[in-house]
Amino acid sequence: MTSRTGTVAELVAARWGDHRPGMWCEDRVLTHHQVAAGAAARAALLAGLLPSGAPPHLGVLLDNTEEFPLWLGAAALAGAAVAGVNPTRRGAELARDIRHTECAVLVTERARLPLLAGLELPGVRVLVTDGEEYGTLLAGCEGAVPDPYGVTPADRLLLYFTSGSTGAPKAAICSQGRLAAAGQALVRQFGVGADDVHYVCMPMFHGNAVIADWAPALAAGAGVALRRRFSASGFLTDVRRYRATYFTYVGRAVQYLLATPARPDDRDHPLRTGFGTEAGAADAAAFERRFGVRLVEGYGSSEGGAAIQWAPGTPAGAVGPARPGLVVLDPATGRECPAAVFGPGGRLVNGDEAIGELVNRGPSPFEGYWRNPAAEAERRRADGYWTGDLFYRDSRGYLYFAGRGDDRIRVDGENLAAAMIETIVARYEGADAVAVYGVPDPVTGDQVMAAVAGTFDPAGFAAFLRAQPDLGTKMAPRYVRVLERMPVTATNKIHRAVLRREGFRCADPVWWRPPGEDAYRLLTTDDTDDTEDAEGPPASARSPSIPCAARDSNPGPAD
């Protein structure tokens, strides 16, 4: 365990003199002392590169190599902030992220230099970690000793971008104090010790890998094993090689792991805990049955404004109990939504009243967005932190996730929980991955559309839906898009914005139920024309369409 520490800089410096192995990356091994020394050398280099009078910010455009955590440690010691740069961004969008966060220095590697070609980045010093100049610069800083006393808990340390599905990504601020406290809290929650090894396979430009994986390892003095990019087929090999005991996940990572061929030795490993979001109850149970590892699902807004932790006694399907201050409010009126009422099979029968936005009226660690007061005001209003996520609560105070704000589905005046429909459709035998979302309909408000990756039999799917006791009369998907592979973001989350904008006009086959019918049939051009005449244009015709090929710009796992 670890003692309470106020800054990440102190946690970095605490490893000075610790000669146990502390970091693994492919065939390279660094001791904890070498990690602290490497961070100190980079902090000294950074101090000479940052211009006076400007925000002390640096961008990091790297895969999960040892350079990423070394620069996190360097920034902590130097009182600077790291902006993790998403390598799937391109052109003007990529340049915008770097300029918006006012990065005076950009750390990258030769493999990423083509992304920067032709970009307007005035005043940005580019450091190439596998270049000759970089080695020369670092050699001049060897012998630096970590000095944590020039920084405070309030100093910015992270500027990490939200997904940006509804506009330009927002850079959420995380201070040294908040990151240190988050790491220490997870140490207490999971009993992390100095002999543990954290496997960091989620991308470090995203908050999950840094806040939930790297920070608790640093706080406990545990080791860190890095995977350059997530690989489902390489997962267990790495876990065994590095003797990893803990990992984090987001998005579809668990589904990708479950999709690998089962082996008799799937339980032969030291892994103890997985912590993350969006695995779903069914996949979490399947993961534990196969690999013998319990996954702990939690909820936390990217910005840190609200969090829910699972606790013993949490009902199936719920995220966890509402701690003081967490409420579900009607966004239109600001009033608290009534408790959920469940019918046969656990079906939510009063979704129109019960589904609302999760709001934290208690203390919030949200520290704002960099240079974005409008977005900050949208989060901080009416004496609370509005998460933008949809929830409902039961009579005992347990909270259930109903979808992201953009996932709001309203059919014939009834609010439907996209997450609940996804859980039901995911039971379909042919489904490897499922996403449920609304497509606008001027008559009913929305129609339910599902994207299913896997195999699809229209008659079998219709029969499957009829057999589900918790599927409400308005919840059955009107449209089903069948994909070979689900489009995902760089953090393996389903790219719902792409699916919503494409609607039912895409290159993939789409099956549909005409109004008043139960059977699914293949959607044709004549059907879409008739539908547009009867119901108005589909979602894709009301906004700029993104070609289905666009999903290739956000690749899934390395496999």
Side-chain angles (χ1 to χ4, degrees), residues 164-186:
S165 61
T166 57
K170 302 177 287 288
I173 297 169
C174 181
S175 66
Q176 293 225 15
R178 180 182 149 206
L179 185 58
Q184 290 158 350
L186 289 172

Side-chain angles (χ1 to χ4, degrees), residues 163 181 273 281 330 449 494 500 527 535 558:
S163 63
T273 304
D330 183 331
M449 185 165 184
I494 290 178
R500 279 193 297 268
D527 292 326
E535 300 178 344

Side-chain angles (χ1 to χ4, degrees), residues 23-252:
M23 186 185 294
W24 295 262
C25 183
E26 297 173 338
D27 295 326
R28 300 176 295 279
V29 183
L30 300 178
T31 66
H32 286 288
H33 177 83
Q34 288 173 319
V35 172
R42 286 160 180 79
L45 173 59
L46 186 61
L49 295 177
L50 291 174
S52 61
H57 296 173
L58 67 144
V60 177
L61 177 59
L62 293 171
D63 288 333
N64 289 2
T65 67
E66 68 268 27
E67 289 288 345
F68 209 127
L70 287 174
W71 276 103
L72 286 172
L77 293 170
V82 169
V85 182
N86 184 340
T88 67
R89 301 272 282 172
R90 294 292 187 273
E93 291 183 340
L94 178 62
R96 176 264 171 197
D97 293 348
I98 298 168
R99 291 197 305 265
H100 173 68
T101 46
E102 301 180 57
C103 296
V105 175
L106 179 65
V107 181
T108 189
E109 56 189 330
R110 278 184 287 191
R112 296 297 186 190
L113 287 178
L115 296 180
L116 304 177
L119 298 190
E120 298 269 343
L121 298 172
V124 179
R125 173 70 180 272
V126 177
L127 295 180
V128 183
T129 59
D130 49 354
E132 185 176 339
E133 180 193 27
Y134 182 75
T136 301
L137 290 172
L138 270 186
C141 299
E142 287 183 1
V145 176
D147 177 9
Y149 301 110
V151 298
T152 72
D155 287 338
R156 288 187 303 276
L157 179 56
L158 301 178
L159 297 168
Y160 55 98
F161 289 104
T162 62
S163 63
S165 61
T166 57
K170 302 177 287 288
I173 297 169
C174 181
S175 66
Q176 293 225 15
R178 180 182 149 206
L179 185 58
Q184 290 158 350
L186 289 172
V187 167
R188 295 189 294 272
Q189 180 179 349
F190 293 113
V192 176
D195 293 330
D196 281 303
V197 175
H198 288 213
Y199 180 51
V200 182
C201 55
M202 296 293 100
M204 294 194 75
F205 70 79
H206 187 254
N208 168 273
V210 175
I211 297 172
D213 214 345
W214 179 72
L218 188 65
V224 170
L226 301 166
R227 175 80 190 196
R228 178 178 279 271
R229 298 175 197 168
F230 174 73
S231 166
S233 63
F235 180 84
L236 274 185
T237 300
D238 282 351
V239 164
R240 293 172 179 135
R241 177 184 184 184
Y242 302 125
R243 305 298 299 166
T245 56
Y246 172 101
F247 80 107
T248 63
Y249 59 89
V250 292
R252 304 292 97 184

Side-chain angles (χ1 to χ4, degrees), residues 186 189-190 249 273-277 280-281 284-285 288 294-300 307-323 326 391 396-400:
L186 289 172
Q189 180 179 349
F190 293 113
Y249 59 89
T273 304
F275 175 51
T277 62
E288 184 168 8
R294 177 170 166 258
L295 300 183
V296 179
E297 284 272 304
Y299 166 84
I308 305 168
Q309 289 185 356
W310 182 91
T314 297
V319 180
R323 61 177 177 81
L326 284 182
F391 276 79
R396 295 191 294 158
Y398 288 96
L399 292 166
Y400 297 72

Side-chain angles (χ1 to χ4, degrees), residues 441-443 479 504-505 512 525-538 541-542:
D441 183 317
V443 176
Y479 304 99
F504 49 71
R505 283 193 179 276
W512 79 306
T525 302
D526 290 341
D527 292 326
T528 58
D529 291 341
D530 291 343
T531 299
E532 289 172 12
D533 291 339
E535 300 178 344
R542 281 190 287 274

Side-chain angles (χ1 to χ4, degrees), residues 449-460:
M449 185 165 184
V452 176
T455 58
F456 182 78
D457 169 55

